[in-house]
Amino acid sequence: MVETIFPGIRVQRVTTPRLTANVLEREADAEADAARTVVFVHGNVSSSLFWQPTMLDLPRGIRAIAVDLRGFGDSDPLPVDASRGVRDFSDDVASVIDELALGAVHLVGWSMGGGVAMQLLLDRPELVASLTVQSTVSPYGFGGTAVDGALLSADAAGTGGGGANPDFVARLAAGDRSDDQGSPRAVYRSSYVAPGFASEHEDVWVESMLSTRTGLDHYPGDATPSDSWPGFAPGTRGVLNTMAPTVFDTSAIVEVESKPPILWIHGAQDAIVGDASAFDLNQLGKAGIIPGWPGDDVAPAQPMLAQTRAVLDRYAAGGGAVRELELEHCGHSPHLEKPAEFRAALLELLDA
């Protein structure tokens, strides 16, 4: 049995009007400053377990908390209403912040969690003292859009729940801990981190991935037929549909009146979020992996980094402080792969 909770981390159950959330916190620090509370939000197919090394590495005097999203880790496996975009997730996080009476926090979101954090900034700006987005989903969702966020097809064909690999979903559901091709462990090694990166805690990261609830109301969600390639469009239930560009658009952060500082950290070798993502079906079609691709004129790969950069440039032009940090020899998980650089950048933001 793998021990998943690191020494120095405590687990608590926080019951809010929305759900009972599993919350990790670094053990009590008598010197902790309420104004220096950091709340970490994990990404898709993961949980708060991934944040433990980062939490433990922060200086004393900082309160460090990580929340399991619904359907991940040990939080309630409530259904995900994807017609609300990621608001089921962001409202849940806000409810935990409210229940713990944390006030404005330094919010850190990873991958899908970056989208959750941006949505929380839109809906509850008073709760966000600063925003750090790591390897974040684009402000225009995942797949199916041009650089300005415009839909490539009216129904966002090729995005949402139908884009998941059924074998991977089955392996998650079965609790596959092997290193076979297509297993969660193999996906972690090939996609979560850059080639060659090794972690002594890999078994914990696999357990975190395996905590993902699967099904139509969870991961990956449902799909609907489409007349456009590749033949499906987003559904209204489950995790992947929350990031479909028909329902997800956080570009309005540029209009938030009081703009907290934003730090954007990403790895130069990120296989998941990039201008040629290996998880973008249009990119897979272009590579010949999915047949029938109609070409760049109809179904180009999503320029994810260019989209995020453009939105953050507009945020900065509107008076917000923005820093972009791209890390070489780093994949989708800078906090694991480049912990010193991640820590330094986060502390600089907290001290600003």
Side-chain angles (χ1 to χ4, degrees):
M1 186 69 178
V2 176
E3 178 54 61
T4 58
I5 302 300
F6 292 10
I9 298 290
R10 70 183 184 96
V11 181
Q12 58 180 319
R13 305 284 289 167
V14 177
T15 299
T16 81
R18 293 184 54 81
L19 83 168
T20 296
N22 191 67
V23 176
L24 302 187
E25 183 171 359
R26 187 168 60 176
E27 289 181 350
D29 178 0
E31 300 176 2
D33 179 355
R36 288 163 62 84
T37 297
V38 182
V39 173
F40 295 93
V41 183
H42 65 82
N44 192 14
V45 191
S46 65
S47 73
S48 61
L49 295 177
F50 270 94
W51 288 117
Q52 292 179 98
T54 306
M55 296 167 69
L56 292 169
D57 195 35
L58 291 176
R60 306 311 295 179
I62 294 175
R63 188 177 183 186
I65 293 171
V67 181
D68 282 340
L69 300 176
R70 63 171 61 195
F72 298 92
D74 289 323
S75 285
D76 285 349
L78 300 178
V80 178
D81 178 2
S83 69
R84 306 184 68 233
V86 295
R87 282 188 172 91
D88 271 1
F89 297 134
S90 59
D91 286 352
D92 289 348
V93 174
S95 74
V96 171
I97 294 172
D98 288 339
E99 187 67 29
L100 295 176
L102 299 179
V105 302
H106 299 277
L107 196 60
V108 181
W110 173 31
S111 194
M112 180 181 76
V116 173
M118 287 188 283
Q119 188 66 60
L120 197 150
L121 172 59
L122 278 174
D123 296 338
R124 297 288 305 277
E126 77 280 6
L127 295 183
V128 184
S130 73
L131 179 62
T132 297
V133 287
Q134 172 185 260
S135 309
T136 183
V137 63
S138 161
Y140 299 114
F142 199 93
T145 54
V147 69
D148 63 354
L151 293 173
L152 301 179
S153 64
D155 61 358
T159 71
N165 183 324
D167 178 65
F168 178 65
V169 177
R171 288 173 180 270
L172 280 177
D176 182 356
R177 293 171 175 80
S178 74
D179 57 4
D180 294 345
Q181 184 176 359
S183 68
R185 188 183 302 272
V187 170
Y188 161 79
R189 291 175 179 173
S190 66
S191 304
Y192 283 43
V193 295
F197 176 79
S199 170
E200 63 179 308
H201 303 301
E202 182 176 283
D203 286 347
V204 178
W205 310 150
V206 172
E207 292 302 314
S208 177
M209 295 172 72
L210 291 174
S211 74
T212 302
R213 278 36 167 222
T214 59
L216 296 179
D217 284 320
H218 301 290
Y219 177 83
D222 62 349
T224 58
S226 174
D227 292 332
S228 300
W229 184 88
F232 69 86
T236 60
R237 302 160 60 190
V239 175
L240 291 187
N241 292 311
T242 67
M243 294 176 283
T246 46
V247 294
F248 181 92
D249 182 347
T250 58
S251 62
I253 61 172
V254 303
E255 299 166 8
V256 172
E257 184 174 350
S258 180
K259 292 179 169 61
I262 295 180
L263 170 63
W264 174 31
I265 303 178
H266 57 102
Q269 284 71 48
D270 192 336
I272 298 176
V273 174
D275 287 347
S277 168
F279 288 73
D280 182 342
L281 266 65
N282 289 353
Q283 178 66 23
L284 296 178
K286 185 174 184 176
I289 296 171
I290 300 177
W293 179 64
D296 272 324
D297 290 343
V298 176
Q302 180 188 10
M304 301 179 189
L305 299 182
Q307 289 176 335
T308 300
R309 191 170 292 117
V311 169
L312 293 183
D313 283 349
R314 288 165 52 204
Y315 188 90
V322 174
R323 180 189 178 192
E324 176 184 351
L325 177 60
E326 181 177 82
L327 298 171
E328 292 293 335
H329 312 295
C330 181
H332 192 61
S333 310
H335 69 297
L336 299 182
E337 300 169 79
K338 301 289 182 180
E341 292 88 337
F342 181 92
R343 179 183 188 271
L346 179 59
L347 291 179
E348 181 180 331
L349 183 69
L350 266 58
D351 292 337

